[in-house]
């Protein structure tokens, strides 16, 4: 059995390849629809998770609050998102997909899901639920590392 560091490097290589594929896909989608990568990230996040506060959009995109305001303004002008205030707390502003935004993101998912399903069905791969669980665990670990003091994330040098 390979030692733990070899296994960890193999997982890291897989995560790196996965992230590269996502980055390339987001760039291609953005180019196709005249959107920047942060706009694509925002739209797909809203499609997967539902309405979100601007702070959550900032966290997902890595943008400042001011930049998120401008991003939401651009998406709103294109009719892809709308701002809403929940009835139970009118101080909160959420960003949600419009019908046009949902149509666009549904199309993006429809383009990806058949390939994902075919890949998940390949012999020798983990069950989709196990794979999803593992991906979420790795993502949570990376977010936890990113949220640490920078001195703890990188080695002293």
């Amino acid at each position: 059995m390979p030692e733990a560091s070899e296994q960890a490097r193999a997982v890291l290589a897989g995560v790196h390849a996965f992230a590269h594929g996502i980055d390339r896909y987001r760039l291609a989608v953005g180019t196709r629809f005249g959107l920047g990568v942060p706009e694509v990230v925002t739209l797909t996040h809203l499609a997967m998770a539902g309405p979100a506060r601007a702070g959550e959009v900032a966290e997902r995109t890595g943008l400042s609050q001011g930049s998120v305001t401008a991003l939401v303004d651009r998406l709103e002008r294109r009719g892809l998102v709308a701002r809403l205030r929940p009835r139970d707390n009118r101080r909160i502003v959420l960003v949600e997909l419009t019908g046009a935004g949902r149509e666009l993101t549904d199309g993006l998912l429809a383009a990806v899901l058949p390939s994902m399903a075919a890949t998940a069905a390949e012999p020798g791969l983990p069950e989709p639920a196990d794979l999803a669980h593992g991906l979420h665990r790795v993502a949570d670990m990376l977010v936890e590392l990113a949220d640490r003091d920078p001195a703890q994330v990188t080695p002293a040098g």
Side-chain angles (χ1 to χ4, degrees):
M1 178 169 201
E3 63 181 81
S5 64
E6 289 177 28
Q7 290 176 335
R9 284 184 179 276
V11 169
L12 185 58
V15 168
H16 178 73
F18 184 71
H20 176 70
I22 289 172
D23 289 346
R24 291 281 307 269
Y25 185 73
R26 287 175 173 161
L27 185 59
V29 166
T31 299
R32 164 73 175 85
F33 293 101
L35 299 166
V37 170
E39 285 88 352
V40 175
V41 171
T42 300
L43 292 171
T44 54
H45 175 66
L46 295 174
M48 301 295 287
R53 291 182 182 194
E56 188 177 344
V57 173
E59 183 181 316
R60 286 288 175 165
T61 60
L63 297 174
S64 68
Q65 290 283 349
S67 294
V68 166
T69 298
L71 176 146
V72 172
D73 287 345
R74 288 191 302 275
L75 292 174
E76 201 169 35
R77 280 193 300 275
R78 294 205 38 194
L80 299 173
V81 301
R83 288 176 169 98
L84 72 110
R85 293 185 185 272
R87 291 182 196 268
D88 60 337
N89 188 345
R90 304 287 295 158
R91 293 172 299 183
I92 296 173
V93 177
L94 297 175
V95 180
E96 72 173 348
L97 291 174
T98 61
R102 175 63 61 191
E103 187 176 317
L104 174 67
T105 57
D106 285 351
L108 297 176
L109 292 174
V112 171
L113 288 176
S115 295
M116 289 273 188
T119 300
E122 288 181 12
L125 290 179
E127 290 294 316
D130 294 334
L131 180 58
H133 177 74
L135 289 171
H136 282 282
R137 296 257 333 252
V138 170
D140 291 345
M141 180 267 308
L142 291 171
V143 168
E144 181 183 318
L145 284 173
D147 288 345
R148 289 184 184 172
D149 176 356
Q152 294 179 339
V153 175
T154 57

